[in-house]
Amino acid sequence: PLTASPIKSLDGTVTLPGSKSLSNRCLLLAALSDGETRVENLLESDDIRYMLEALDKMNVPVKRDADDDTAVTVTGQAGPINSPLSADEVCEL
């Protein structure tokens, strides 16, 4: 059997073509991670805009790149994203 030990951190650059599913997964993983993640080459689509709006509504810091519409920097929440709403409120996404 192959045994893999958990890693403490990952650093590097991965360049992939723009894709809706990859773009959304990258944004979600960046939001769940610890620290800042720069995501480039985001696909320009309604789904990606909705994901960015959802992260904004959940108070996940996302800085848009003024020089590149397909790039953002996400400040991860180091785990689950806590809702900014009280238990009886509904977050409309």
Side-chain angles (χ1 to χ4, degrees):
L2 175 65
T3 303
S5 301
I7 58 173
K8 293 186 181 195
S9 68
L10 182 65
D11 187 20
T13 301
V14 177
T15 303
L16 300 170
S19 157
K20 180 175 64 174
S21 61
L22 287 175
S23 293
N24 272 331
R25 288 180 182 135
C26 285
L27 290 170
L28 184 57
L29 287 172
L32 295 171
S33 69
D34 187 19
E36 289 190 342
T37 302
R38 180 170 170 81
V39 182
E40 299 176 339
N41 200 26
L42 288 172
L43 185 69
E44 295 183 50
S45 74
D46 288 340
D47 287 352
I48 304 308
R49 281 189 289 281
Y50 296 143
M51 175 64 86
L52 290 168
E53 288 173 13
L55 293 175
D56 286 338
K57 286 186 178 186
M58 299 301 288
N59 292 336
V60 175
V62 178
K63 185 169 64 172
R64 275 71 169 179
D65 187 314
D67 299 323
D68 183 354
D69 290 341
T70 68
V72 296
T73 300
V74 181
T75 302
Q77 303 300 290
I81 299 168
N82 295 317
S83 172
L85 305 176
S86 66
D88 61 337
E89 292 180 291
V90 176
C91 183
E92 296 290 332
L93 300 176

